[in-house]
Amino acid sequence: MTSASHTKGLARLQLVTLGITLAAIALFILVGGAALTHTMQVLRGIGHADDALSMLLLANIAIIFGGWLRHKRLTDQLAAVTAREQEARRLAEFDPLTGCLNRRSLLPAVDRLLAATARSSETLVLFLIDLDNFKQINDRHGHEAGDIALTTVARRLRAVQQQGGVVARLGGDEFACAAIMPERYRIPAEELAGGLIAAVAEPITVGGTDLQIDLTMSIGMVAAGAASPRTSEAAALLNQADVAMYRAKRQGKNRFAWFAPEMLQELELRRTLEQGIRAGLAAGEFEPYYEQQVDLVTGQISGFEMLARWRSPTHGVLTPDIFIPAAEEMGLITELSEHLISRALQDASEWDACLTLSVNISPVQLRDPWFAQRILKLLVTHNFPPARLDIEITESCLHDNPDEVRAMILSLRNQGIKVSLDDFGTGYASLNQLRDLTFDHLKIDRSFVSSMTTNDANRTIVDAVLDLGRALNLPVTAEGIETEEIVSALQSRGRIKGQGRLYGKPESTAAVRQRLGRLGMLRQSQPAEAPEERLKASNA
Ligand code: C2E
Ligand code: MG
Ligand code: MG
C-alpha cells in the first residue's frame, strides 16, 4: 500500500469511528431519557426495574467509550503518519544542510515560473552558481568549516534574491537562483548577479574564531522570455546556464557570463577532447618530448626539459596548451604527469650521468600532500639519482597556498631533488617568496629573452633578473633563445644556462637518443665524435 492510500484509509477509518461514537452518543441521549423516566417511575413505585433497558444503556456507554478511544488512537496515528509524510517531503524537496530547494524540486519550481512568465511580458532568468576553489576550503579548513561556508552562502543568496524567485542548492558547491525580471531584463539581471557575487565575497567567520574564509563564485546566466528564446523546459535552461557558468570559470572565475548558443558547440568540442584524453591516456598516446638546455659559456648540453606531447591518431602531435588545462580540470593531471615523468626517467636513465632532466608540474599537483612521496617513488622505481631531477613550478603555484608550497619545496629539496621557478617575470612572485622559498634555479620567461636584443625594456628586465639571481645566489636559465645574437648578449652577462628554438624544436625520445649517441653522451656508448664536438651546442 502507498503512503498516500495508507493515510486516506486511516482518515476514512477515523471518520467511521467518529460516526459510530456520535451515533452511540445520540442513542445514549434517547435511551438515557427513557431510562431516566423509567427509573423515576420505579422510584415512585410505578412498575418494575427493566433489566433489558439497563443492559442497553450499559452497552451504549461501552460503545461510546470504546469508539472515543479508537477515534483518539486513530487521530494520533494519523497525526504521526502526516508528520512523517511532511518530513519525507521536506527531505525530498529541500537540501538538509542549507534549507534551500534541492535539484529535484528546482526543476518543477522553474517550470512553474516559466509558465507564469509565458502569460506575461516578463522574463525568467536562471543563475547557475559554482563557488570557486571550494574544494581547497574543505581540504584546508575541514568539512565543518566548509558546511558553515555553504550555509552562509545560502543565507546570503536568499537575502539578495528577489521576492517570488527561488534559491536551490544543486549539490556540493553548486547553487541556482531563478528570478522573474522585466522584459528588458539584462541590466537588472546583471545587477542581481553583481549583488550575489558581492554578498558571497564578504568574509565568512567560522564559529566566532579568527578563521576567515574568503569566497568567490562564477555564475552562468540564461534568460527565457519575450525578448529571448522561450525555452519551455527548466532542464534545458539549467543545462544552458551550466555551459555559461563553465565559460565564466574559464574566463578567470569570480564573474558571470551569459549563455550564447555557440557555447554548445564549444561544449561538444570539449567533450570530444575529454574523451580523447581518457582514451589517449589508456592507449599510451602521451609522450615526453625534450628541449635541450645548454651551458651558454661552454656550449655543452647540460640537460633536457621534458615537454608533454599528445600523439593523437586523428590530429597529429598536439602541444600541452591544448590538453594540460583540460586534464587539470578533469582530475587526470596527476595520472598524466606521472605517466610522462615515468617515461622520461626511463629515457634519461640511458643518458650520460651529467645530464639533468627538468619536468613541469601543474599547480594542481602541488596541492597533493603526497606529491613529494610520489616523485620519490618514481625515482626509486627507475633508480634515478634525485640530484639529476629538476622540478619546474610556475609563479602561479606560489600565491595559491604559500605555506603548503613552501613545505613541499623543502621536502623535495631535502630528498636532493632540484626545484626551479619557471616563467619568472610573468606572474606575481614577490621578492619575499624568492628569498624564503630557496629555489635552485630561476628561469627567465621567454617573452623577455626572445626580444631582448630588439626591445630595450625587455633587455632591462633580463638584466634586472640576472642581478637578482646573483644577489640571491640563484643560477639563472634563459628561455626562448632564438638567435645567435641573443646567445652573445647573454654570454657577456655571466654564466647562464639557456634553451630555445636556436637549439632546435623539442624532440622525441628516439631523436634525443640519436643526438646523444652522436655526441657520445649515452651511457655505455663510445663518443662518435671528437670531444670538442661535444662542447658545441648541437643545432638541429
Ligand atoms: P615552459 O615550461 O615554459 O616550456 C617552454 C615552452 O616554450 C615550450 O612550449 C617550448 O616548446 C616553448 N619554447 C621553447 N623555446 C622557445 C623559443 O625559442 N621560442 C618560443 N616562442 N617558444 C619556445 P610547449 O612545449 O608548448 O609547452 C608550453 C608549456 O606547457 C610549458 O611551458 C609548460 O609550462 C607546460 N607543460 C609542458 N609539459 C608539461 C607537463 O608535462 N606538465 C605540465 N603540468 N605542464 C607542462
Ligand atoms: Mg618549464
Ligand atoms: Mg617556462
Side-chain angles (χ1 to χ4, degrees):
M1 202 191 325
T2 65
S3 132
S5 60
H6 179 56
T7 317
K8 264 192 201 149
L10 277 178
R12 218 173 292 133
L13 214 57
Q14 187 202 24
L15 264 181
V16 172
T17 52
L18 183 66
I20 292 174
T21 313
L22 288 176
I25 291 172
L27 193 67
F28 178 77
I29 293 167
L30 280 176
V31 176
L36 194 65
T37 317
H38 181 71
T39 310
M40 295 299 283
Q41 283 171 347
V42 171
L43 284 177
R44 277 198 229 119
I46 314 163
H48 301 283
D50 186 341
D51 287 347
L53 192 62
S54 306
M55 287 302 289
L56 186 61
L57 199 62
L58 280 176
N60 197 186
I61 291 171
I63 291 172
I64 293 175
F65 196 62
W68 177 77
L69 271 183
R70 179 92 181 105
H71 174 70
K72 174 146 183 355
R73 212 173 301 136
L74 280 171
T75 309
D76 291 347
Q77 226 175 323
L78 195 62
V81 169
T82 312
R84 267 206 306 276
E85 273 180 10
Q86 274 173 352
E87 178 62 8
R89 203 171 311 132
R90 199 182 62 76
L91 287 176
E93 288 181 6
F94 293 91
D95 168 51
L97 179 68
T98 60
C100 296
L101 292 183
N102 59 20
R103 182 183 283 274
R104 215 172 112 190
S105 53
L106 172 73
L107 295 181
V110 171
D111 275 332
R112 279 194 294 278
L113 292 177
L114 275 172
T117 51
R119 292 189 291 273
S120 69
S121 62
E122 289 171 324
T123 304
L124 176 105
V125 181
L126 186 66
F127 304 75
L128 192 106
I129 296 165
D130 192 281
L131 303 180
D132 299 327
N133 309 324
F134 187 71
K135 188 177 173 298
Q136 281 178 45
I137 291 179
N138 269 336
D139 291 349
R140 220 178 286 169
H141 306 300
H143 283 261
E144 213 174 307
D147 283 356
I148 291 172
L150 288 172
T151 44
T152 312
V153 167
R155 203 174 47 246
R156 291 180 186 173
L157 293 181
R158 278 197 295 252
V160 176
Q161 170 68 299
Q162 292 155 335
Q163 274 240 306
V166 293
V167 177
R169 179 176 172 225
L170 304 183
D173 59 354
E174 225 179 28
F175 291 84
C177 297
I180 294 187
M181 299 266 158
E183 189 175 347
R184 296 164 80 95
Y185 60 86
R186 270 191 103 87
I187 291 175
E190 289 180 7
E191 278 172 1
L192 179 56
L196 295 171
I197 289 176
V200 167
E202 290 286 318
I204 297 170
T205 307
V206 175
T209 61
D210 286 345
L211 177 59
Q212 268 200 0
I213 294 177
D214 295 303
L215 275 178
T216 61
M217 63 190 195
S218 305
I219 307 181
M221 291 154 69
V222 63
S228 56
R230 277 207 188 274
T231 309
S232 54
E233 277 224 337
L237 273 185
L238 198 62
N239 195 28
Q240 293 174 353
D242 194 33
V243 172
M245 190 277 293
Y246 183 69
R247 166 63 65 91
K249 289 263 184 211
R250 297 216 85 187
Q251 283 176 336
K253 303 179 179 169
N254 193 21
R255 66 193 63 219
F256 60 79
W258 283 101
F259 169 76
E262 312 83 77
M263 290 180 188
L264 288 177
Q265 262 169 312
E266 243 173 71
L267 190 73
E268 198 43 49
L269 279 177
R270 169 106 195 149
R271 283 208 185 111
T272 314
L273 175 68
E274 290 188 0
Q275 279 163 6
I277 291 177
R278 271 182 224 285
L281 201 49
E285 289 165 13
F286 290 93
E287 288 179 20
Y289 267 52
Y290 300 97
E291 181 168 299
Q292 297 176 49
Q293 293 177 320
V294 175
D295 180 327
L296 294 184
V297 174
T298 62
Q300 191 172 14
I301 302 176
S302 62
F304 289 88
E305 175 175 2
M306 187 269 281
L307 296 163
R309 293 290 182 269
W310 179 10
R311 196 180 287 280
S312 154
T314 42
H315 296 96
V317 179
L318 301 173
T319 50
D321 50 314
I322 295 174
F323 56 87
I324 294 279
E328 285 175 346
E329 280 164 32
M330 292 162 68
L332 282 180
I333 188 67
T334 297
E335 192 184 334
L336 175 60
S337 175
E338 286 186 8
H339 165 78
L340 288 163
I341 295 175
S342 183
R343 285 184 66 169
L345 288 172
Q346 199 175 328
D347 291 344
S349 301
E350 296 181 14
W351 306 342
D352 191 296
C354 71
L355 296 174
T356 56
L357 170 69
S358 300
V359 296
N360 294 282
I361 290 300
S362 143
V364 177
Q365 288 170 277
L366 274 193
R367 283 184 216 130
D368 173 5
W370 298 104
F371 175 71
Q373 272 71 19
R374 287 169 176 280
I375 294 290
L376 206 63
K377 191 165 166 233
L378 288 175
L379 288 173
V380 171
T381 306
H382 294 279
N383 193 22
F384 196 84
R388 285 181 63 195
L389 182 67
D390 192 331
I391 303 264
E392 295 191 1
I393 66 173
T394 52
E395 285 179 84
S396 56
C397 297
L398 302 182
H399 61 96
D400 249 10
N401 42 355
D403 293 339
E404 280 98 331
V405 172
R406 177 179 292 116
M408 189 67 74
I409 292 174
L410 209 67
S411 167
L412 289 167
R413 295 188 79 233
N414 281 342
Q415 316 286 353
I417 299 165
K418 304 276 188 293
V419 182
S420 297
L421 184 57
D422 201 0
D423 303 345
F424 182 66
T426 56
Y428 302 96
S430 70
L431 296 180
N432 265 344
Q433 283 171 324
L434 268 192
R435 188 196 53 207
D436 295 344
L437 287 176
T438 51
F439 290 102
D440 293 284
H441 298 106
L442 203 58
K443 297 186 72 175
I444 319 178
D445 190 68
R446 63 174 186 264
S447 56
F448 306 116
V449 178
S450 61
S451 56
M452 67 176 282
T453 49
T454 50
N455 180 311
D456 285 346
N458 284 346
R459 194 188 54 240
T460 310
I461 290 173
V462 171
D463 280 331
V465 176
L466 290 173
D467 284 344
L468 194 65
R470 263 190 292 275
L472 293 171
N473 208 13
L474 262 178
V476 173
T477 302
E479 297 179 316
I481 298 179
E482 293 178 350
T483 62
E484 289 287 0
E485 219 185 331
I486 299 175
V487 178
S488 314
L490 287 169
Q491 277 171 337
S492 67
R493 285 166 163 81
R495 184 141 203 167
I496 304 165
K497 274 205 244 173
Q499 58 186 95
R501 288 282 180 269
L502 179 67
Y503 306 104
K505 284 188 175 170
E507 291 176 324
S508 67
T509 299
V512 168
R513 197 187 293 127
Q514 265 182 8
R515 176 183 295 282
L516 292 178
R518 282 201 305 275
L519 294 171
M521 294 184 90
L522 281 179
R523 284 217 157 164
Q524 292 146 7
S525 70
Q526 294 303 310
E529 294 166 13
E532 55 271 22
E533 276 298 304
R534 291 176 53 183
L535 298 179
K536 266 196 220 146
S538 40
N539 284 314

